[in-house]
Amino acid sequence: MPFIEAKDISFSYSNGTEVIKEAGVSIENGEFTGLIGPNGSGKTTIGKLLCGILMPDKGNIFLDKEEISNLELCQIGQVIGYLFQNPDTQIFNVIVKKELSFILELKGFKKSFIDYQTEKMLNLFKLSNLRDSYTFNLSYGEKKRLAIASILINKPKFLILDEPTTGLDIKSKKMLSNILKKLLDRGIGMLVMGHDEDFIKEMAGRTIKIREGRIIG
Amino acid sequence: MDKYKIDARAKLIITLCLSSIAVFIQNVYVLGFTLVAAILIAMLLGAKLLLVLKSFKKMWFIFAIIVIAQSIFTNAGANLITIGNFSFLSTGGLVKGLEFVLRLAVIVISATIITTSSHREIVQGLIQLKVPYEVAFMVLVAIRFLPIFMGEFRDTVTAIQLRGVDIKRIAFKKKLKMYYYIFNPILINSIKKAHKLSVAMEMRAFRAYPKRTSYLVLKMSLRDYFVILSSVFFTVALIVAYYLFLRGGCFESIINYRA
Ligand SMILES: Nc1ncnc2c1ncn2[C@@H]1O[C@H](COP(=O)(O)OP(=O)(O)OP(=O)(O)O)[C@@H](O)[C@H]1O
Ligand SMILES: [Mg+2]
């Protein structure tokens, strides 16, 4: 059975219009899957359904053989790292380096380990010179990089990234694709939503196309 | 229910009257009567009371705790439960707790009366009541932005859980820290939104002209005047009568009776 499997899911927001229409997706861990479609086609919604943020009206979703409604969000969070499209809702600290370390502190790791991991991530995402800056003054691309870094510090087994490349310049994109390729080599799979077909082609994986809430290939 | 459509200003006055009664009067019977009146008025004007009740479903627990706390710290009337010398629960305390819940219910239900008008009408009502336009506009912005903030709050709470934090079972000392983490993005985003909004408004020449005219102008009918006058008159009469006759009168003597 695939790592994430959605069978005939339908979903409507509270205003009643059906945004996802009997969509089925199955995603293997360890490989790259791109989900592309125009604005408003339901990419973000599918992503939120697949990691249990939203519950489907019809159909079932299985994560690692477990029906997703039986899992709590924090249990899912141990397995999946989810990058929200809007970086502002997922930056919890005022200082850049604090944003990387706080989650490990909450989980009770040793200080020396936390410091080591934080430095590693700051270097990896070229954020070292911003370590003591205020997070709310960062540029959009910097925020995006910080958000991805603070998800990776958690060592997830699978990644769902909602438009990770929007707002990144060519150099940052290259940097991100190199980091993601390294993760793939380590067997960490990922689902990436976006319009950036070049980026998805470069990652050389499977692509799923979505249009108006239907999977079309 | 088009038949009972009244002016937004009349609704504002009714809400003001009902909540003044709730604040000034400390008598269970009067508060109970006010609650019934508030419910009737809200239903006549077509307020969605069931929806409000539903959103309060999770709050019953907090109400219960407040009622119990009120009863414990008020010591009047006959003792119902005593532990040693300490009166744990008394009739007077229960009455105080009940008063609190009634007061809260009246305020919430009277607030739903306003929501039967559209946002635009409420703001126009405030302006025509000589509230400065800036203040009225702020009220409108607050109403508009509330759902956006709720959505962002939900996203943030989800995001922190998806980092593997079990917000329900986390140790108490860390819980306070976690609240700090959750409120950080909300606070920062709202300050930034407010800042952006103010710049955008200045760019569109907000307050450039001293006098603003409106396309929508509310007109009061005879019925609106009648509603306003009668609710103000009734409220003032009730509060005056309460302070002259009822307070420290028959009701208090029943509570303070000790066998
Ligand atoms: N909270 C919500 N309430 C109501 N409708 C919503 C909500 N969120 C999204 N929608 C609607 O659902 C549809 C799909 O939205 P979704 O965000 O999944 O699209 P998307 O493919 O991620 O688009 P984008 O490329 O712009 O990120 C859109 O038509 C949108 O208007
Ligand atoms: Mg999206």
Side-chain angles (χ1 to χ4, degrees), chain A residues 13 15 19 37-46 85 162-163 195:
Chain A
Y13 282 104
N15 62 3
V19 178
N39 286 139
S41 54
K43 301 181 295 293
T44 300
T45 311
I46 285 247
Q85 191 169 351
D162 197 350
E163 306 201 4
H195 330 269

Side-chain angles (χ1 to χ4, degrees), chain A residues 53 72-74 77-78 80 82 84 88-94 99 102-103 106-107 136 143 150 154, chain B residues 152 155-156 158-166 168-170 174 180-182 184-185 188-189 192:
Chain A
I53 299 176
E72 285 190 45
L73 274 178
C74 60
Q78 313 276 7
I80 293 183
Y82 188 92
F84 282 81
D88 281 332
T89 51
Q90 52 184 333
I91 290 180
F92 300 94
N93 286 273
V94 194
E99 174 64 18
F102 90 101
I103 202 81
L106 270 185
K107 288 180 171 176
F136 47 84
K143 268 187 206 162
S150 46
N154 227 348
Chain B
E152 283 190 356
D155 273 358
T156 306
T158 322
I160 201 164
Q161 281 175 284
L162 271 178
R163 300 266 179 101
V165 178
D166 190 344
K168 286 184 207 124
R169 282 182 282 273
I170 197 166
K174 285 182 178 164
Y180 164 77
Y181 293 135
I182 291 176
N184 239 331
I188 291 172
N189 286 342
K192 283 181 94 170

